[in-house]
């Protein structure tokens, strides 16, 4: 910055008058309303599996059919199945769950372009706030099944890993679907983040790459065989501070 230019002075009262402060405060009530409404609808759905994946995958993509099969298998195994509620692989998740015995649940988000709720949801919840939607994905999940996806899917995957690493969430299975799609990411995490001391090898222990519906269902049950699906009092308390 040249010597004759100065950083603009911040004049709080000019930018944030009383009317602005009042409107900001009302957002807190909207957030509370979303949390309470979603909690009431979801309090009886566990155990559940949250599934993440791309909204931009068409029905003729091989991942779409595989996702339907995985979701149906999870539903028939007794799980509630949760997706982001929109098109693409989210639709495939809800479609598969609707073919099975368990509830098909969609966490829809209000977006300008992409998001339109799919038709395969037994329980459909609309969220205005991304962070509240992510809380619900995590709060009710006994496992995460992560399908091929873009930035949103990566965001949700890294959020889950971070919460487990920091002890904010209990340790639950994280299953990546598609060796060809995900193996490069795991190699990078181990070669860069772990090798350079920015994470520990154990932080990646819960992540598996699997392909077939049955092995995904079996992996989840194997994880809970000795500990059960019910949250301990300590785990339940930790969930309040996600």
């Amino acid at each position: 910055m040249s010597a004759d230019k100065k950083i603009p002075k911040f004049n709080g009262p000019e930018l944030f008058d009383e009317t602005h402060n009042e409107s900001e405060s009302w957002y807190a009530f909207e957030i509370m309303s979303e949390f309470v409404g979603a909690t009431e609808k979801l309090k009886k759905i566990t155990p559940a599996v949250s599934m993440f994946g791309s909204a931009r995958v068409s029905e003729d993509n091989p991942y779409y059919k595989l996702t339907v099969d995985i979701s149906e298998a999870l539903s028939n195994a007794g799980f509630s199945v949760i997706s982001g509620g929109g098109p693409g692989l989210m639709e495939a998740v809800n479609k598969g769950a609707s073919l099975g015995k368990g509830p098909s649940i969609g966490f829809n988000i209000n977006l300008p372009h992409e998001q339109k709720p799919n038709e395969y949801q037994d329980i459909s919840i609309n969220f205005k706030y991304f962070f509240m939607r992510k809380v619900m994905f995590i709060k009710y999940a006994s496992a995460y099944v992560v399908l091929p996806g873009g930035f949103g899917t990566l965001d949700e995957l890294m959020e889950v890993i971070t919460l487990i690493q920091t002890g904010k969430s209990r340790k639950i299975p994280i299953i990546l679907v598609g060796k060809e799609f995900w193996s490069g990411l795991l190699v990078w995490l181990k070669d860069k983040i772990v090798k350079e001391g920015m994470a520990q090898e154990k932080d990646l222990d819960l992540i598996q790459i699997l392909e077939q519906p049955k092995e995904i269902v079996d992996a989840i049950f194997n994880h809970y065989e000795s500990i059960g699906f019910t949250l301990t009092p300590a785990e339940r308390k930790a969930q309040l501070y996600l």
Side-chain angles (χ1 to χ4, degrees), residues 206-219:
L206 292 168
I207 303 175
Q208 305 173 68
I209 298 179
L210 300 174
E211 302 281 347
Q212 299 305 317
K214 185 179 185 305
E215 63 181 357
I216 291 170
V217 172
D218 289 346

Side-chain angles (χ1 to χ4, degrees), residues 68-81 96-103 217 221:
V68 171
D69 292 343
I70 293 169
S71 181
E72 183 178 6
L74 289 167
S75 182
N76 282 327
F79 293 103
S80 302
V81 182
S98 70
L99 297 172
K101 298 175 182 177
V217 172
F221 278 113

